[in-house]
Every structure is written in C-alpha cells, then in structure tokens.
C-alpha cells in the first residue's frame, strides 16, 4: 500500500514539473518505475553496503542505532524496493550484528574474570 502511495505521489509530481506539451512517455515511465524490478538480492546487496559503511557506528551505538537512517540509505539507493522487504533485511542484519557484538563482549568479559 505504501509503495502505491509513493508511486501516486511521483505521478502527480511528474505532471507538476512537466508541461503537457513536453510530455515524454519514456520519462514518465522511468519516473514511475515502470519495468523496474528490485530483487531480494538487490536489497540484500544494498543493505550489505550500508552496513559496511556504518558498521563502526552501529557496533558503538548497538541498540540505540537509528534504524530509520539505515532504511533511508537503502531506500535512497533503491527507491522502488519493497519497503517491507527492506525493513526485514535491515532488522535481520541488525540482529546478526548486535548478537555478534554481544557474544564478543561476553567472551571478553569471561576472559577478564579468569
């Protein structure tokens, strides 16, 4: 539903910025994502890139990380990606990274007590 809403916004925005006499079907279709398919693999790759760039901050902030910013970075690179899939991928990656950091910290704590 959200995706359809944004596509509608793009349609209206496109016509607000283009006079009827200058209408070009190919530009309209491009602006509205006609024929654009974003696979789960594309989303996974974009999320990997975002996490790699922000890994240090994510590990430092851990559970206080602003997930919305991470979502925004992925959506910026893949504006037509399904937002639910993007959110699921980001949530999974956050869990994996935080769990790994928690496990690493637990190991360090155990070594200190020995």
């Amino acid at each position: 539903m959200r995706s359809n809403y944004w596509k509608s916004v793009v349609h209206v925005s496109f016509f607000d910025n283009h006079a009827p006499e200058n209408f070009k079907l190919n530009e309209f279709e491009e602006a509205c994502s006609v024929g654009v398919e974003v696979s789960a693999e594309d989303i996974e790759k974009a999320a990997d890139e975002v996490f790699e760039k922000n890994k240090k901050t994510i590990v430092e902030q851990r559970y206080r990380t602003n997930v919305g910013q991470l979502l925004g970075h992925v959506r910026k690179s893949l504006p037509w990606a399904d937002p639910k899939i993007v959110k699921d991928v980001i949530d999974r990656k956050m869990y994996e990274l935080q769990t790994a950091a928690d496990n690493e910290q637990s190991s360090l704590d155990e070594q200190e007590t020995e």
Side-chain angles (χ1 to χ4, degrees):
M1 172 108 177
R2 235 185 266 172
S3 182
N4 289 337
Y5 170 77
W6 285 115
K7 286 182 182 181
S8 297
V9 169
V10 169
H11 296 159
V12 171
S13 174
F14 182 87
F15 287 115
D16 283 347
N17 295 314
H18 293 81
E21 60 275 3
N22 296 331
F23 178 78
K24 294 185 176 98
L25 180 61
N26 64 331
E27 290 177 8
F28 176 71
E29 288 178 340
E30 184 179 319
C32 298
S33 77
V34 171
V36 174
E37 291 186 29
V38 181
S39 70
E41 292 80 23
D42 294 335
I43 295 170
E44 192 78 32
K45 182 181 176 195
D48 285 342
E49 291 171 4
V50 168
F51 270 74
E52 191 58 38
K53 278 185 188 173
N54 296 285
K55 186 174 182 175
K56 182 180 180 213
T57 303
I58 294 168
V59 170
E60 286 173 1
Q61 293 181 347
R62 309 276 290 280
Y63 300 99
R64 296 181 319 271
T65 300
N66 186 336
V67 176
Q69 287 180 340
L70 301 175
L71 290 166
H73 291 305
V74 174
R75 296 282 302 174
K76 185 177 180 180
S77 66
L78 298 173
W80 304 116
D82 182 326
K84 181 175 179 355
I85 296 173
V86 173
K87 174 85 167 79
D88 291 345
V89 169
I90 294 293
D91 286 346
R92 180 177 43 79
K93 291 191 173 300
M94 284 295 294
Y95 176 78
E96 291 169 357
L97 189 58
Q98 289 171 345
T99 301
D102 287 342
N103 291 340
E104 188 176 303
Q105 185 61 44
S106 291
S107 293
L108 291 173
D109 291 345
E110 286 175 15
Q111 289 174 1
E112 287 177 3
T113 59
E114 291 177 356

